Amino acid sequence: MKFLVLASSILGLVSAIVVPRQANYDGYRVVRLQVGDDSSKVKNIIEELSLSTWNGAPKADSEVDVVVPADRFSEFESSTADLDSSIMHENLGASIAEETNYQVYAAGSANSTWFNSYHPYADHIQFLNDLKNSYPANSEIVTIGNSVQGRPITGIHFYGTGLKNTKPAVVFHGTVHAREWITTMVTEYFAYSFLTGFASNTEIRNLLNKYDFYIFPVANPDGFVYTQTNDRLWRKNRQSTAGSSCLGHDINRNWNYQWSTPGGSSTDPCAQDFRGSAAADAPETVALANFVNKVAASTQKLKLFIDYHSYSQLFMTPYGYSCSVVTANNAEYQSLARGVVAAIKAVYGTVFKSGPICPTIYQVSGSSVDYLADVTKAQYSFTAELRDTGRYGFVLPADQILPSGVEAFAGLRYLLSNLR
């Protein structure tokens, strides 16, 4: 990240103010490379050209999605001439401009047109409040703590009539990684579908009478706002680290369980998956953990937790910290995950894969899913990677919001109907 340094004099004292320069991705390409059996070659190219990737470090016999600035594309192209590749975004800046062509949201109009477009952060908070105001007997707004920059971590709590705080709890997180905008919209689609369907849909009414739902569509508000004002591809929160000019801790590498397990996170403050200086040193992690632990310790108990991410089209189970350790009820977990994947596919034919996190995508230490499974003791703990598999990646066109929500909701209904 480049910074603009301004000097100002206040009452005779000169202070340096560091202002982040707005990222400009005009002319950038995003290229999917087939790594082949020698991952070191691709790793060296990425390091030598100072490139970033969207899906982690290159692994042998896999794909890696690489962001290439215009002034480095010729060298990148010649360096990778012997590798199979495809273009995901010919001009990333243009793709972002199209995605951020927000529709105007009129306060008070919490209807299905919300899902025709992405929206600014303030409108998301307004939408949740409008949804609550439309269904006051079945919902309320909850805040569970503040972000680094003081923004409330806001969610919506909804339930059957007269059943608030009496049924097993279900908790969903969205936008833990700031650039994963589709997760904000899909988790909001769940809330919208449950509340609007309660009166007329027997299946939905039965589920709302059976469970208490807490959905936090933007678990990382500072990072999300930053993606809308400065850098669309920002991932972490906006926390500083002593001794480094790089900002941000990865909230999903910061949970106080298997936090320091080698290979599942980075100790470099400049890395996308920086785990923080200490376990749970991010205020967002603390707030989220305190909330789920409080719910789990209550008479409600915590039935189900799902952390929604993008992209890759996966529905995964614990564990992330190890590729060999599985849960005691792993057979049940895998059966449920396969059922979710089948229910998603039945809607539009979208193919998801399932399995434990580590062998299915990559090793992840200090994750919410592992923490919820082994510390909080939620009965079930999953994570999802939503659309797509790499055509658009993080910059998913707005016309895919509604189908993403519809298919994910089908998978969720299957899951909720099949839990013990």
Side-chain angles (χ1 to χ4, degrees), residues 273-296:
D273 60 346
F274 174 53
R275 68 190 188 193
S277 301
D281 67 351
E284 297 88 351
T285 310
V286 172
L288 295 166
N290 286 346
F291 177 75
V292 294
N293 289 335
K294 179 181 176 181
V295 171

mmCIF file of all heavy atoms in Angstrom, residues 273-296:
data_model
loop_
_atom_site.group_PDB
_atom_site.id
_atom_site.type_symbol
_atom_site.label_atom_id
_atom_site.label_comp_id
_atom_site.label_asym_id
_atom_site.label_seq_id
_atom_site.Cartn_x
_atom_site.Cartn_y
_atom_site.Cartn_z
ATOM 1 N N ASP A 273 -2.610 -12.719 5.509
ATOM 2 C CA ASP A 273 -3.095 -13.613 6.557
ATOM 3 C C ASP A 273 -2.318 -13.437 7.863
ATOM 4 O O ASP A 273 -2.124 -14.387 8.617
ATOM 5 C CB ASP A 273 -3.053 -15.069 6.094
ATOM 6 C CG ASP A 273 -1.645 -15.531 5.726
ATOM 7 O OD1 ASP A 273 -0.744 -14.680 5.577
ATOM 8 O OD2 ASP A 273 -1.452 -16.757 5.575
ATOM 9 N N PHE A 274 -1.919 -12.189 8.134
ATOM 10 C CA PHE A 274 -1.218 -11.893 9.389
ATOM 11 C C PHE A 274 -2.122 -12.220 10.571
ATOM 12 O O PHE A 274 -3.241 -11.724 10.679
ATOM 13 C CB PHE A 274 -0.794 -10.423 9.426
ATOM 14 C CG PHE A 274 -0.196 -9.987 10.729
ATOM 15 C CD1 PHE A 274 0.858 -10.681 11.300
ATOM 16 C CD2 PHE A 274 -0.681 -8.857 11.379
ATOM 17 C CE1 PHE A 274 1.421 -10.273 12.507
ATOM 18 C CE2 PHE A 274 -0.126 -8.437 12.580
ATOM 19 C CZ PHE A 274 0.923 -9.141 13.148
ATOM 20 N N ARG A 275 -1.603 -13.027 11.486
ATOM 21 C CA ARG A 275 -2.435 -13.552 12.570
ATOM 22 C C ARG A 275 -2.564 -12.608 13.756
ATOM 23 O O ARG A 275 -3.332 -12.863 14.695
ATOM 24 C CB ARG A 275 -1.848 -14.873 13.051
ATOM 25 C CG ARG A 275 -0.506 -14.767 13.748
ATOM 26 C CD ARG A 275 0.095 -16.137 13.953
ATOM 27 N NE ARG A 275 1.298 -16.111 14.780
ATOM 28 C CZ ARG A 275 2.128 -17.137 14.897
ATOM 29 N NH1 ARG A 275 1.880 -18.254 14.228
ATOM 30 N NH2 ARG A 275 3.182 -17.061 15.679
ATOM 31 N N GLY A 276 -1.835 -11.491 13.735
ATOM 32 C CA GLY A 276 -1.803 -10.575 14.861
ATOM 33 C C GLY A 276 -0.580 -10.814 15.720
ATOM 34 O O GLY A 276 0.156 -11.790 15.547
ATOM 35 N N SER A 277 -0.345 -9.923 16.665
ATOM 36 C CA SER A 277 0.815 -10.030 17.550
ATOM 37 C C SER A 277 0.582 -11.026 18.671
ATOM 38 O O SER A 277 1.529 -11.548 19.248
ATOM 39 C CB SER A 277 1.140 -8.660 18.144
ATOM 40 O OG SER A 277 1.401 -7.724 17.114
ATOM 41 N N ALA A 278 -0.683 -11.259 18.992
ATOM 42 C CA ALA A 278 -1.054 -12.231 20.024
ATOM 43 C C ALA A 278 -2.430 -12.765 19.686
ATOM 44 O O ALA A 278 -3.195 -12.124 18.952
ATOM 45 C CB ALA A 278 -1.061 -11.577 21.407
ATOM 46 N N ALA A 279 -2.742 -13.919 20.196
ATOM 47 C CA ALA A 279 -4.067 -14.488 19.958
ATOM 48 C C ALA A 279 -5.147 -13.545 20.481
ATOM 49 O O ALA A 279 -5.021 -12.973 21.568
ATOM 50 C CB ALA A 279 -4.188 -15.841 20.642
ATOM 51 N N ALA A 280 -6.186 -13.353 19.667
ATOM 52 C CA ALA A 280 -7.336 -12.529 20.046
ATOM 53 C C ALA A 280 -6.938 -11.104 20.438
ATOM 54 O O ALA A 280 -7.490 -10.529 21.372
ATOM 55 C CB ALA A 280 -8.126 -13.193 21.163
ATOM 56 N N ASP A 281 -5.963 -10.530 19.715
ATOM 57 C CA ASP A 281 -5.615 -9.136 19.984
ATOM 58 C C ASP A 281 -6.395 -8.165 19.110
ATOM 59 O O ASP A 281 -6.225 -6.950 19.227
ATOM 60 C CB ASP A 281 -4.108 -8.899 19.855
ATOM 61 C CG ASP A 281 -3.590 -9.049 18.426
ATOM 62 O OD1 ASP A 281 -4.353 -9.505 17.548
ATOM 63 O OD2 ASP A 281 -2.402 -8.716 18.198
ATOM 64 N N ALA A 282 -7.280 -8.673 18.258
ATOM 65 C CA ALA A 282 -8.158 -7.824 17.460
ATOM 66 C C ALA A 282 -9.472 -7.622 18.209
ATOM 67 O O ALA A 282 -10.078 -8.601 18.659
ATOM 68 C CB ALA A 282 -8.423 -8.451 16.098
ATOM 69 N N PRO A 283 -9.923 -6.403 18.383
ATOM 70 C CA PRO A 283 -11.176 -6.187 19.123
ATOM 71 C C PRO A 283 -12.380 -6.857 18.471
ATOM 72 O O PRO A 283 -13.315 -7.269 19.161
ATOM 73 C CB PRO A 283 -11.326 -4.665 19.150
ATOM 74 C CG PRO A 283 -10.428 -4.146 18.089
ATOM 75 C CD PRO A 283 -9.310 -5.126 17.963
ATOM 76 N N GLU A 284 -12.341 -7.000 17.141
ATOM 77 C CA GLU A 284 -13.438 -7.690 16.467
ATOM 78 C C GLU A 284 -13.490 -9.158 16.881
ATOM 79 O O GLU A 284 -14.574 -9.708 17.148
ATOM 80 C CB GLU A 284 -13.286 -7.577 14.946
ATOM 81 C CG GLU A 284 -13.361 -6.161 14.404
ATOM 82 C CD GLU A 284 -12.019 -5.436 14.386
ATOM 83 O OE1 GLU A 284 -11.032 -5.973 14.968
ATOM 84 O OE2 GLU A 284 -11.940 -4.344 13.810
ATOM 85 N N THR A 285 -12.318 -9.806 16.948
ATOM 86 C CA THR A 285 -12.261 -11.196 17.386
ATOM 87 C C THR A 285 -12.791 -11.332 18.804
ATOM 88 O O THR A 285 -13.566 -12.251 19.116
ATOM 89 C CB THR A 285 -10.820 -11.727 17.327
ATOM 90 O OG1 THR A 285 -10.250 -11.452 16.054
ATOM 91 C CG2 THR A 285 -10.777 -13.222 17.590
ATOM 92 N N VAL A 286 -12.373 -10.436 19.682
ATOM 93 C CA VAL A 286 -12.812 -10.476 21.079
ATOM 94 C C VAL A 286 -14.330 -10.362 21.173
ATOM 95 O O VAL A 286 -14.988 -11.140 21.880
ATOM 96 C CB VAL A 286 -12.132 -9.358 21.893
ATOM 97 C CG1 VAL A 286 -12.720 -9.273 23.297
ATOM 98 C CG2 VAL A 286 -10.626 -9.583 21.966
ATOM 99 N N ALA A 287 -14.902 -9.410 20.441
ATOM 100 C CA ALA A 287 -16.349 -9.201 20.494
ATOM 101 C C ALA A 287 -17.113 -10.413 19.964
ATOM 102 O O ALA A 287 -18.093 -10.863 20.571
ATOM 103 C CB ALA A 287 -16.726 -7.953 19.694
ATOM 104 N N LEU A 288 -16.648 -10.946 18.843
ATOM 105 C CA LEU A 288 -17.324 -12.095 18.244
ATOM 106 C C LEU A 288 -17.218 -13.327 19.142
ATOM 107 O O LEU A 288 -18.188 -14.074 19.328
ATOM 108 C CB LEU A 288 -16.733 -12.382 16.863
ATOM 109 C CG LEU A 288 -16.954 -11.292 15.804
ATOM 110 C CD1 LEU A 288 -16.050 -11.530 14.595
ATOM 111 C CD2 LEU A 288 -18.414 -11.226 15.369
ATOM 112 N N ALA A 289 -16.023 -13.547 19.718
ATOM 113 C CA ALA A 289 -15.818 -14.701 20.590
ATOM 114 C C ALA A 289 -16.630 -14.574 21.874
ATOM 115 O O ALA A 289 -17.258 -15.543 22.332
ATOM 116 C CB ALA A 289 -14.336 -14.865 20.909
ATOM 117 N N ASN A 290 -16.614 -13.394 22.475
ATOM 118 C CA ASN A 290 -17.384 -13.188 23.706
ATOM 119 C C ASN A 290 -18.869 -13.459 23.480
ATOM 120 O O ASN A 290 -19.546 -14.051 24.328
ATOM 121 C CB ASN A 290 -17.191 -11.772 24.236
ATOM 122 C CG ASN A 290 -15.832 -11.562 24.876
ATOM 123 O OD1 ASN A 290 -15.107 -12.519 25.160
ATOM 124 N ND2 ASN A 290 -15.472 -10.318 25.103
ATOM 125 N N PHE A 291 -19.360 -13.037 22.324
ATOM 126 C CA PHE A 291 -20.786 -13.218 22.053
ATOM 127 C C PHE A 291 -21.145 -14.696 21.911
ATOM 128 O O PHE A 291 -22.094 -15.173 22.536
ATOM 129 C CB PHE A 291 -21.200 -12.456 20.798
ATOM 130 C CG PHE A 291 -22.640 -12.667 20.447
ATOM 131 C CD1 PHE A 291 -23.643 -12.044 21.163
ATOM 132 C CD2 PHE A 291 -22.992 -13.539 19.428
ATOM 133 C CE1 PHE A 291 -24.985 -12.265 20.871
ATOM 134 C CE2 PHE A 291 -24.325 -13.763 19.113
ATOM 135 C CZ PHE A 291 -25.325 -13.118 19.844
ATOM 136 N N VAL A 292 -20.400 -15.437 21.091
ATOM 137 C CA VAL A 292 -20.755 -16.843 20.894
ATOM 138 C C VAL A 292 -20.578 -17.641 22.182
ATOM 139 O O VAL A 292 -21.362 -18.563 22.464
ATOM 140 C CB VAL A 292 -19.965 -17.486 19.730
ATOM 141 C CG1 VAL A 292 -20.361 -16.854 18.400
ATOM 142 C CG2 VAL A 292 -18.456 -17.407 19.936
ATOM 143 N N ASN A 293 -19.570 -17.290 22.976
ATOM 144 C CA ASN A 293 -19.377 -17.993 24.236
ATOM 145 C C ASN A 293 -20.502 -17.693 25.227
ATOM 146 O O ASN A 293 -20.939 -18.579 25.980
ATOM 147 C CB ASN A 293 -18.024 -17.635 24.851
ATOM 148 C CG ASN A 293 -16.865 -18.233 24.082
ATOM 149 O OD1 ASN A 293 -17.005 -19.242 23.400
ATOM 150 N ND2 ASN A 293 -15.700 -17.603 24.154
ATOM 151 N N LYS A 294 -20.977 -16.463 25.212
ATOM 152 C CA LYS A 294 -22.104 -16.090 26.076
ATOM 153 C C LYS A 294 -23.361 -16.861 25.685
ATOM 154 O O LYS A 294 -24.073 -17.396 26.542
ATOM 155 C CB LYS A 294 -22.351 -14.587 25.976
ATOM 156 C CG LYS A 294 -23.524 -14.094 26.806
ATOM 157 C CD LYS A 294 -23.719 -12.593 26.622
ATOM 158 C CE LYS A 294 -24.947 -12.101 27.379
ATOM 159 N NZ LYS A 294 -25.153 -10.645 27.174
ATOM 160 N N VAL A 295 -23.618 -16.950 24.392
ATOM 161 C CA VAL A 295 -24.788 -17.689 23.919
ATOM 162 C C VAL A 295 -24.661 -19.170 24.259
ATOM 163 O O VAL A 295 -25.615 -19.813 24.728
ATOM 164 C CB VAL A 295 -24.979 -17.491 22.403
ATOM 165 C CG1 VAL A 295 -26.050 -18.430 21.860
ATOM 166 C CG2 VAL A 295 -25.346 -16.046 22.099
ATOM 167 N N ALA A 296 -23.468 -19.719 24.029
ATOM 168 C CA ALA A 296 -23.261 -21.148 24.290
ATOM 169 C C ALA A 296 -23.430 -21.487 25.761
ATOM 170 O O ALA A 296 -23.866 -22.600 26.106
ATOM 171 C CB ALA A 296 -21.879 -21.566 23.811
#
